Amino acid sequence: MKTIINKINDRQLNSDIIKKAGNILREGGLVAFPTETVYGLGADALNENAAKKIYAAKGRPSDNPLIVHIADMEALEKIVRDIPDAARTVAERYWPGPLTMIFNKSSVVPYGTTGGLDTVAVRMPSHKVACALIEAGGGYIAAPSANTSGRPSPTKAEHVKEDMEGKIEMILDGGTVEIGLESTILDISVTPPMILRPGAVTKEMLEELLGEVTVDNALLDEEGGDPPKAPGMKYRHYAPKAKLCVVEGDGEAVVKEINRIADENIQKGNRVGIIGTQESIGAYLNGVVKCIGTRQDETTIANHLYAVLREFDEEDVDCILSEAFSGDGIGNAVMNRLLKAAGHHIIQV
Ligand code: TXA
Ligand code: MG
């Protein structure tokens, strides 16, 4: 299959391109598109055969459900059995935006989209291209992140091309995404609501609106505990080819330990990658050193994480050593993804 790649500017939408992309979706094809979180791989969510093509293109296990993307609240009514009051409160504040909610599904949503579940994950993205494509494509786009299963999520169209060229009809290239980590997933069908995947809308932000909010315990555990409630979180996602190890502790001690482990490995003939920040980068003496952002503003770290992991795949390093991050605000989502990529391999100093 020849994949058409179209550049698209979210401040000046080309309606011809959007229309063509919408028609591909209406005919059961696949279109990758930018959202504010990561690039999505879209198909008509209400067409079971189209949704199935997503699993084939990604090499994704069929029990891992897809998020349905909508453009307005009316669209929600048709695909869910009921809308809890708490969901309306959250939607009013955080939709459109980087937040997904889990509802009981109505019969129009095929099991091919929900991985056989009676619940459905729904998100209303804020990215202009995503919104226009949803409208053009019939109102309901099932879209996981547009990466091959097991690779880091794509934060620019080049990443999508690496993974999807030849497998899908079209890629809409809207440049680098704004956030860089996938949406927060909130199960609103339970009381109190539970976060199944941390993201840019944090636990603190949701608690301010809803009172108590819990976090799926399986997210904090090492592998081997209870399975996580979002089926996708159980896979060793976001995994770079090289072994990744996170070093946590006081700033100077971390730099010292990373330099020590790096030197030890280099002496053995290994190629070592190092993930540092603007604040520390000058202190790393050997290895392939990459700057992930600044600690002054952890949104920069969220924004670069997946691109840096992909760059290390290109560099053919044998191991990667990364500093740990704060765990507050968006830093919580950063650490969740980083620790998953590391298979929970962490050294405390
Ligand atoms: O930011 C995002 O959410 C991006 C963009 C494209 O919108 N999408 C995304 O989709 O990250 P994906 O498929 O890579 O991750 C969806 C996660 C998976 O972990 C999946 O198991 C979970 O959502 N999920 C989907 N439906 C669910 C359901 N009914 N119950 C529990 N978890 C669900
Ligand atoms: Mg994904």
Side-chain angles (χ1 to χ4, degrees):
M1 183 187 299
K2 167 124 181 63
T3 302
I4 301 165
I5 304 177
N6 278 318
K7 282 218 186 303
I8 188 147
N9 182 341
D10 61 348
R11 271 160 291 167
Q12 204 179 355
L13 287 181
N14 180 326
S15 52
D16 255 15
I17 293 176
I18 294 287
K19 200 167 160 208
K20 282 199 186 107
N23 285 340
I24 292 172
L25 294 175
R26 286 174 189 269
E27 285 159 18
L30 302 182
V31 177
F33 61 99
T35 81
E36 66 277 25
T37 57
V38 298
Y39 273 76
L41 176 57
D44 178 355
L46 306 187
N47 173 344
E48 186 143 38
N49 281 328
K52 275 189 188 150
K53 289 186 194 164
I54 289 180
Y55 290 94
K58 279 182 63 93
R60 177 175 173 119
S62 62
D63 69 344
N64 190 2
L66 307 173
I67 296 174
V68 179
H69 296 68
I70 57 171
D72 52 55
M73 280 306 271
E74 287 87 82
L76 183 64
E77 316 255 342
K78 186 170 141 191
I79 55 170
V80 304
R81 272 221 313 272
D82 53 293
I83 305 177
D85 287 343
R88 289 192 193 278
T89 308
V90 174
E92 221 161 89
R93 179 71 183 78
Y94 291 113
W95 274 1
L99 176 89
T100 297
M101 285 190 274
I102 310 285
F103 298 88
N104 292 311
K105 80 172 193 71
S106 77
S107 59
V108 300
V109 185
Y111 282 113
T113 296
T114 66
L117 298 177
D118 287 312
T119 52
V120 60
V122 186
R123 175 159 108 82
M124 193 189 291
S126 62
H127 197 290
K128 296 270 186 311
V129 172
C131 297
L133 183 66
I134 295 167
E135 303 273 10
Y140 299 93
I141 303 187
S145 47
N147 52 286
T148 302
S149 221
R151 292 211 75 199
S153 294
T155 54
K156 36 182 135 180
E158 289 75 22
H159 298 159
V160 180
K161 188 170 170 235
E162 275 169 30
D163 287 12
M164 292 298 153
E165 190 162 37
K167 297 181 182 165
I168 65 177
E169 277 81 1
M170 189 181 276
I171 299 172
L172 296 178
D173 176 356
T176 303
V177 300
E178 183 195 330
I179 296 172
L181 296 179
E182 306 85 345
S183 61
T184 305
I185 302 181
L186 181 69
D187 188 350
I188 201 83
S189 70
V190 296
T191 314
M194 184 187 275
I195 293 174
L196 308 188
R197 178 174 75 183
V201 176
T202 62
K203 180 169 187 270
E204 294 70 31
M205 288 156 82
L206 291 166
E207 274 179 336
E208 216 183 284
L209 274 184
L210 300 173
E212 191 191 357
V213 172
T214 60
V215 177
D216 184 1
N217 261 328
L219 298 184
L220 314 169
D221 281 0
E222 313 255 330
E223 250 109 279
D226 282 342
K229 297 194 171 53
M233 299 298 279
K234 74 172 175 271
Y235 299 105
R236 186 168 171 257
H237 247 186
Y238 325 120
K241 289 179 195 154
K243 213 170 126 193
L244 170 64
C245 174
V246 180
V247 182
E248 184 170 50
D250 167 67
E252 272 175 44
V254 167
V255 170
K256 208 168 143 204
E257 180 66 1
I258 289 181
N259 273 329
R260 190 190 67 75
I261 303 173
D263 288 345
E264 200 177 272
N265 274 275
I266 289 165
Q267 264 163 30
K268 283 189 213 151
N270 289 331
R271 240 171 104 72
V272 178
I274 295 175
I275 300 178
T277 56
Q278 258 172 47
E279 290 73 20
S280 64
I281 208 81
Y284 294 114
L285 309 170
N286 297 307
V288 183
V289 184
K290 292 196 189 284
C291 178
I292 195 174
T294 167
R295 287 183 185 277
Q296 302 298 317
D297 176 5
E298 288 200 329
T299 63
T300 60
I301 295 171
N303 197 261
H304 294 128
L305 175 64
Y306 289 145
V308 165
L309 291 179
R310 276 183 185 255
E311 282 172 27
F312 275 127
D313 280 350
E314 304 281 302
E315 295 272 0
D316 253 333
V317 292
D318 301 292
C319 68
I320 306 168
L321 302 162
S322 176
E323 298 176 10
F325 303 101
S326 75
D328 299 330
I330 186 88
N332 186 258
V334 171
M335 280 306 282
N336 167 263
R337 308 306 196 276
L338 190 61
L339 286 174
K340 256 165 77 72
H344 290 271
H345 187 194
I346 184 161
I347 294 174
Q348 310 275 353
V349 292

